[in-house]
Amino acid sequence: MTSYTYAPALNGTASLRADDARARLDALAKFLDSAIRLPGTNIRFGADALLNLFPGVGTLTSKGMSAYLIWEARRLGVPPALLLRMAGHVGVDFVISAIPLVGWVGDVFYRSNLRNMALLRKHLDQAHPSSRS
């Protein structure tokens, strides 16, 4: 009886690709939502909150990076219902960001990118279990 190893090799390649994407997107989400800690507190914020200090251009830039995370999730095979949920998180973040002053504070506490990464991580853990320990 002959044993073929083609399918596991392909699956291993897909898992490695998913692991690389997971690490890259996780770093992006942390950069956008929790890269900086306010000294003396546990409050963290990221580039999303800082970019939103620049009306219009900053908001579009930060939401564009959030959209990239969703686009990559689509490439990794995330189901459409989950993509819509992720887009909803970014939509809520956009609405919060559109409110001057209140929106800047809201960006610190509503972390759509970290929420989206939690959803993506859960999907990838089921579809492509991590090959790294």
Side-chain angles (χ1 to χ4, degrees), residues 57-116:
V57 174
T59 302
L60 289 176
T61 301
S62 66
K63 299 316 167 239
M65 289 194 283
S66 296
Y68 170 75
L69 193 146
I70 295 170
W71 181 73
E72 282 287 332
R74 184 187 137 300
R75 289 186 58 226
L76 290 168
V78 171
L82 191 54
L83 291 173
L84 284 174
R85 190 170 172 197
M86 293 171 79
H89 288 153
V90 175
V92 168
D93 191 18
F94 180 76
V95 169
I96 290 170
S97 299
I99 305 167
L101 298 176
V102 174
W104 299 332
V105 174
D107 275 333
V108 172
F109 296 104
Y110 187 80
R111 298 175 175 147
S112 65
N113 299 296
L114 291 177
R115 289 172 192 253
N116 286 344

Side-chain angles (χ1 to χ4, degrees), residues 5-91:
T5 59
Y6 298 117
L10 291 175
N11 189 19
T13 302
S15 290
L16 286 175
R17 192 174 309 134
D19 286 344
D20 291 341
R22 183 182 315 189
R24 186 179 69 251
L25 296 175
D26 201 29
L28 176 63
K30 287 177 183 173
F31 170 73
L32 288 171
D33 288 345
S34 65
I36 304 166
R37 184 178 61 84
L38 283 175
T41 70
N42 285 331
I43 298 172
R44 300 186 72 83
F45 63 94
D48 189 17
L50 292 175
L51 285 169
N52 287 329
L53 293 174
F54 303 99
V57 174
T59 302
L60 289 176
T61 301
S62 66
K63 299 316 167 239
M65 289 194 283
S66 296
Y68 170 75
L69 193 146
I70 295 170
W71 181 73
E72 282 287 332
R74 184 187 137 300
R75 289 186 58 226
L76 290 168
V78 171
L82 191 54
L83 291 173
L84 284 174
R85 190 170 172 197
M86 293 171 79
H89 288 153
V90 175

